Amino acid sequence: MISRSPLRALLTAAVLTAGAALLAGCNTDDISLANNAKANQPVPPKLIQAMVEKDMDLNSPILVRIFKTEAELEVWKQNRSGQFALLKTYPICRWSGDLGPKVKEGDRQAPEGFYSITPAQMNPQSQFYLSFNTGYPNAFDQALGRTGSQLMVHGDCSSRGCYAMTDEQIAEIYSLGRESFFGGQRSFQLQAFPFKMTPVNMAKHRNNPNMPFWKMIKEGYDHFEVTKQEPKVEFCEKRYVFDPIRSPNATRDPVFNASAKCPPYAIPDDIADAVRAKQDREAAETAKLIARGTPMAKLNQGIDGGMNKVFAAKVQDGSTGLSEGGDGQGLSLLALSKAPGTIPSHVNPPKMPRLTPEEEPVVAVSSSTSAPATRVAAATPAREEKSEGWFSSLARKVGIGGSDTTASASPAPAKPKAESKPVGPSIARATAAAPKQTETKQAAAAAKPALKPSVTDTPAAAPAPAPAAQVAGSAPIVQSNSFESRFGAMK
């Protein structure tokens, strides 16, 4: 390992020098080689120790799974027996859009499906600390005419179609991908799901129009679950095919085209049998849950994405949105725990939906009309409403008060203070923030260090809730090809 260090340093320097000239989009400035040291941070000692305990090598292959509802990113790593085992689970700081796949450019949807991450997709010069491109659209997405570009996993905890982590988290994830490439892995698989594909979740979401798509990608989920091997992914007839092999009587391997008819192929018997048995058990369990009256999940009525509860607890007016675990009491308890990384002051948590513009004043000032999921956001208006009622009562006692109608209407002028603006990409909405909030954000950005401590070695102290400047999260726009020269021979 020591003898390889000079070679690794030379390779890294060559790659970053070439990347500085090629990368665009996320890189608004010409970034020098020295500033790319963040992409070469070593894997934290505690994570290496976890690998030792799980019989894994530093350079062995990795696989990444993402779940929107749980707001979690899992890094799996191959152990010395050849199977993948879970190395670490990272809470996702922010994802945007709804449950379901990305369909078109600008829909704010974070992708769902199976994607391949090559060294060329790793971006050490992202304006969002570090990032890698998900590879959306894949051949399946393209066959359906789906559009979108530069959908990333990155730092900075802001999203417009991306999966956003803290800077410390993405530094760890990036280092694990980098080391797997140094070990010879040509690409690692990214699997993105709306939720963990369990019978409970399938029962809860049985009425969702995306269910046919989810059942299709669950096939790949099940292949990985029963084999703990990265499933081979192909496409034909505008659908996914997992672990196909040459059919018994064929003389050559099948050739797949996402838009064409499927060629003759087979699935290995041991995998097919294990997957079928798993699916039969879970289908029976799902049917029982439905028969028992498991409530159906409400379809999205305007909530923009989600946030892991660990982060929502530390953000002013925090909400988990479409992710799980967001009641006010639970968030207040989590606020005392350590944050897995630095939470920027400009973070926008998911906002609860509104009805119509005409009904907005009622929603903003009345906690009694709020849905249960909006209890945290409605706390401030509720306090204002109670305070106004007390002063009105006192005024009536001394003979200078107005009618009950006046008292109930008095919170209306305070609405702009309590109202939470919906997340969106509008620049006008960003510039409408108070000057003091803008100065706070600029000062925080200016003080942002080039390198941040690992979340496993030096946990960040839980920051005090900061005013949430209502600035929409944005996706990085980058041509990510920084590792291409290093692995050019592998193409």
Side-chain angles (χ1 to χ4, degrees):
M1 182 65 70
I2 295 176
S3 63
R4 293 179 60 191
S5 296
L7 176 60
R8 287 166 58 91
L10 288 172
L11 285 171
T12 301
V15 167
L16 292 175
T17 301
L22 294 173
L23 286 171
C26 269
N27 317 306
T28 56
D29 300 309
D30 183 17
I31 304 177
S32 68
L33 178 62
N35 287 336
N36 286 298
K38 62 178 181 277
N40 295 298
Q41 295 175 75
V43 176
K46 287 187 178 179
L47 210 48
I48 292 178
Q49 181 59 35
M51 294 180 202
V52 172
E53 294 170 358
K54 297 182 179 185
D55 199 28
M56 300 168 177
D57 293 318
L58 175 63
N59 300 130
S60 67
I62 68 167
L63 180 146
V64 174
R65 298 202 303 180
I66 288 175
F67 302 98
K68 288 180 176 177
T69 299
E70 291 79 6
E72 291 179 347
L73 182 150
E74 297 176 344
V75 175
W76 293 67
K77 197 165 179 65
Q78 195 175 64
N79 58 29
R80 289 178 182 144
S81 72
Q83 288 193 316
F84 281 87
L86 181 61
L87 175 61
K88 185 171 179 178
T89 300
Y90 296 86
I92 296 174
C93 197
R94 192 73 167 89
W95 59 272
S96 65
D98 196 357
L99 298 181
K102 185 171 184 65
V103 175
K104 63 181 179 180
E105 185 86 47
D107 63 6
R108 295 184 61 83
Q109 287 292 105
E112 293 175 7
F114 288 71
Y115 298 89
S116 182
I117 315 301
T118 65
Q121 290 163 242
M122 305 290 282
N123 179 19
Q125 298 190 36
S126 170
Q127 76 178 55
F128 300 103
Y129 199 70
L130 291 168
S131 67
F132 63 83
N133 194 313
T134 63
Y136 176 93
N138 62 19
F140 168 80
D141 301 318
Q142 294 175 27
L144 293 179
R146 294 176 176 174
T147 58
S149 60
Q150 307 302 336
L151 281 304
M152 303 278 183
V153 176
H154 61 69
D156 199 50
C157 193
S158 62
S159 171
R160 193 181 64 187
C162 296
Y163 293 102
M165 320 299 294
T166 62
D167 292 354
E168 292 87 347
Q169 287 177 311
I170 193 62
E172 279 194 16
I173 298 164
Y174 191 99
S175 71
L176 291 170
R178 180 195 66 220
E179 294 301 322
S180 75
F181 292 138
F182 275 124
Q185 186 176 20
R186 298 190 177 191
S187 64
F188 65 85
Q189 191 171 91
L190 171 68
Q191 306 175 3
F193 301 99
F195 40 72
K196 292 190 176 180
M197 313 300 273
T198 63
V200 171
N201 282 331
M202 298 302 281
K204 284 168 58 177
H205 295 276
R206 60 189 180 272
N207 67 325
N208 195 295
N210 290 301
M211 185 53 72
F213 169 73
W214 291 340
K215 286 182 176 178
M216 179 174 61
I217 61 174
K218 183 181 183 297
E219 187 86 15
Y221 178 95
D222 292 338
H223 276 235
F224 179 71
E225 287 287 311
V226 301
T227 65
K228 293 301 185 288
Q229 300 285 348
E230 178 182 301
K232 180 182 179 182
V233 180
E234 296 287 359
F235 312 96
C236 60
E237 298 178 10
K238 299 181 180 179
R239 64 182 177 87
Y240 279 84
V241 177
F242 298 98
D243 290 320
I245 59 173
R246 182 188 303 180
S247 57
N249 298 323
T251 57
R252 59 180 182 177
D253 292 334
V255 177
F256 289 86
N257 183 304
S259 300
K261 183 178 179 181
C262 291
Y265 69 89
I267 306 295
D269 289 342
D270 56 341
I271 297 177
D273 292 345
V275 168
R276 188 180 306 110
K278 178 180 186 295
Q279 292 178 343
D280 288 346
R281 289 193 307 270
E282 292 181 349
E285 188 174 346
T286 300
K288 288 180 181 178
L289 290 168
I290 294 173
R292 291 172 187 166
T294 298
M296 291 187 292
K298 292 182 179 179
L299 297 179
N300 182 16
Q301 298 176 352
I303 304 174
D304 183 20
M307 171 180 275
N308 190 282
K309 58 187 178 181
V310 140
F311 298 108
K314 301 180 184 300
V315 177
Q316 182 174 334
D317 296 327
S319 166
T320 54
L322 294 174
S323 295
E324 291 180 339
D327 65 46
Q329 183 179 5
L331 293 182
S332 64
L333 293 174
L334 280 169
L336 301 175
S337 64
K338 293 183 295 186
T342 304
I343 305 176
S345 60
H346 58 264
V347 167
N348 282 307
K351 305 300 179 187
M352 294 298 103
R354 295 186 190 162
L355 300 177
T356 65
E358 293 77 12
E359 295 171 312
E360 282 182 359
V362 176
V363 175
V365 300
S366 174
S367 60
S368 62
T369 59
S370 301
T374 65
R375 284 183 299 221
V376 176
T380 301
R383 287 195 299 269
E384 290 180 357
E385 189 173 38
K386 181 177 180 181
S387 175
E388 290 293 337
W390 184 85
F391 280 112
S392 298
S393 176
L394 178 61
R396 284 195 300 272
K397 288 179 180 179
V398 298
I400 59 173
S403 66
D404 290 342
T405 304
T406 304
S408 63
S410 58
K415 176 200 161 189
K417 184 182 296 184
E419 184 178 344
S420 294
K421 299 289 185 183
V423 175
S426 169
I427 300 301
R429 194 173 297 157
T431 58
K436 185 174 180 180
Q437 292 175 327
T438 303
E439 291 169 6
T440 301
K441 178 184 173 183
Q442 291 173 344
K448 186 176 181 181
L451 296 179
K452 298 199 176 183
S454 162
V455 293
T456 55
D457 286 339
T458 311
Q470 303 301 325
V471 181
S474 57
I477 301 175
V478 58
Q479 179 182 351
S480 49
N481 56 359
S482 61
F483 279 74
E484 191 169 5
S485 60
R486 182 192 304 171
F487 296 91
M490 296 184 183
K491 290 182 180 178

